[in-house]
Amino acid sequence: MSRLPLYLMTAAAPLRPLWPHYLVLFVTSRCNARCRMCFNWPALEKAGEGDLTLEELQEIAGHWPGLIQLTLSGGEPFLRDDLVEVAAAFVERSGVRQLTIPTNGILTERIAAAAEEILRRFPGLPCNLYLSLDAIGEEHDRIRQVPGAYAAVKKTFARLQALRRQFPNLSLGVTTVLMAENQDRITAILEQLAREFPCERYQVELARGKTREPGSGQVDLARYEEAARWLREQAPAGLRARLAGRMRETLIRTVSEKRMVIPCLAGRQLVVVEADGTVRPCEILHTLGAPGLAPEGLLDPALGNLRQAGYRIAEILDSPRAGQIRDFIARRRCHCSYECALYASLVFSPRRWLSILISY
């Protein structure tokens, strides 16, 4: 598997505008942290009850050809004993060209063992592992509400660095969530993280949705702009960094202008599948109450459920309900700071690609 098919498939993706080439899959509703800024905390109260089985996920993968980007999330994805087989199902049956796994980094041995097995089985598959770090030392532990979390992430990072030297298809990154608790020190935090966790890329995400601690999501956009400047200065040269930079610029405009700056492809080129098989256009719409959907008879903006659809994503995408929700997103021009949706809306738009390539 070479990198060429990744770019060819990405360039061809707009030819199927209503087919999700980007899947964010919540592989479990279990988590070993209780992060103050978590938007997904109501689902995590299920603690794994009703999660899709490996056999069900394999069935789903078999009906999802042409998948380019797969992000395995949760919960904490490495709590699944069969995470390697889940990844393998989508690589082998869906043709995934790039795999991303975000993790809180606490389960050092499990993370290192699973990552090594994936890398060995699929040596040509670009794999991105992102470690979540929101502050330094005990402050990070308080945000994640796990004593010793920061020290555990340091151990995990050291193990993954060793793998990085052995497997060139592994890329390491650090993700920091910008929230009320860390926004006043964000640049200092990023600088220290860069010293302690030297890796390929760093990213900052805005706390989103209805956070576990209601005040955590109250962030000054100026602090995000500050973080974006730091990221731009630290970013290596390359098209990928330019894409990330354009995404952040789009996010800032979207939040400050309170409007859809570029057409949102959530529910089209990107979908989110929750641990119980519920398919959503994105992570955010249902957490915001989806104002305006209720009069249209849609109390919950879920596209459908894969269990009820015989594990066939096409059946859900072709349903009148899915069309109604996609039309709602386009017509009401909803807007949010969901980075994955913004990124997909850039990557899978020929017009946006042309603009980025020219600037690059």
Side-chain angles (χ1 to χ4, degrees), residues 233-245:
E233 293 168 0
Q234 300 297 319
L239 183 56
R240 184 167 184 167
R242 186 70 190 104
L243 278 167

Side-chain angles (χ1 to χ4, degrees), residues 98-214:
Q98 182 164 261
L99 175 66
T100 300
I101 309 179
T103 173
N104 59 36
I106 297 172
L107 303 171
T108 300
E109 297 303 323
R110 294 175 68 99
I111 294 168
E116 182 172 3
E117 187 172 350
I118 292 172
L119 294 165
R120 286 190 186 280
R121 289 180 62 171
F122 305 105
L125 177 70
C127 296
N128 309 305
L129 264 65
Y130 282 94
L131 296 170
S132 298
L133 286 161
D134 306 311
I136 308 301
E138 292 183 357
E139 184 182 2
H140 173 76
D141 297 355
R142 286 193 295 272
I143 289 173
R144 296 276 162 168
Q145 302 199 70
V146 179
Y150 191 81
V153 179
K154 292 195 77 169
K155 292 180 181 178
T156 302
F157 180 74
R159 294 287 298 275
L160 293 177
Q161 269 191 317
L163 289 179
R164 177 69 182 87
R165 291 189 287 269
Q166 186 178 358
F167 298 99
N169 56 318
L170 172 61
S171 176
L172 294 180
V174 167
T175 298
T176 301
V177 179
L178 183 65
M179 66 195 89
E181 289 84 348
N182 66 4
Q183 63 176 339
D184 292 337
R185 303 173 305 285
I186 186 59
T187 297
I189 289 171
L190 291 172
E191 288 177 347
Q192 187 159 347
L193 289 176
R195 289 192 293 269
E196 295 191 29
F197 300 88
C199 58
E200 283 88 348
R201 60 184 60 90
Y202 303 89
Q203 59 185 25
V204 174
E205 298 180 349
L206 271 177
R208 56 181 178 262
K210 294 183 178 180
T211 56
R212 185 190 299 274
E213 297 288 339

Side-chain angles (χ1 to χ4, degrees), residues 7-27:
Y7 293 109
L8 287 177
M9 289 180 67
T10 302
L15 298 177
R16 298 184 70 188
L18 297 182
W19 184 257
H21 294 91
Y22 190 146
L23 168 61
V24 177
L25 174 61
F26 293 171
V27 294

Side-chain angles (χ1 to χ4, degrees), residues 22 68-69 77-78 89 97 103 105 126 136 138 152 194 197 200 219 252 268 300 302-303 310 329 360:
Y22 190 146
I68 298 174
Q69 167 65 42
F78 287 97
R97 288 296 183 268
T103 173
I136 308 301
E138 292 183 357
F197 300 88
E200 283 88 348
V219 180
I252 291 168
R268 300 172 186 269
D300 181 4
L303 303 178
I329 292 172
Y360 175 64

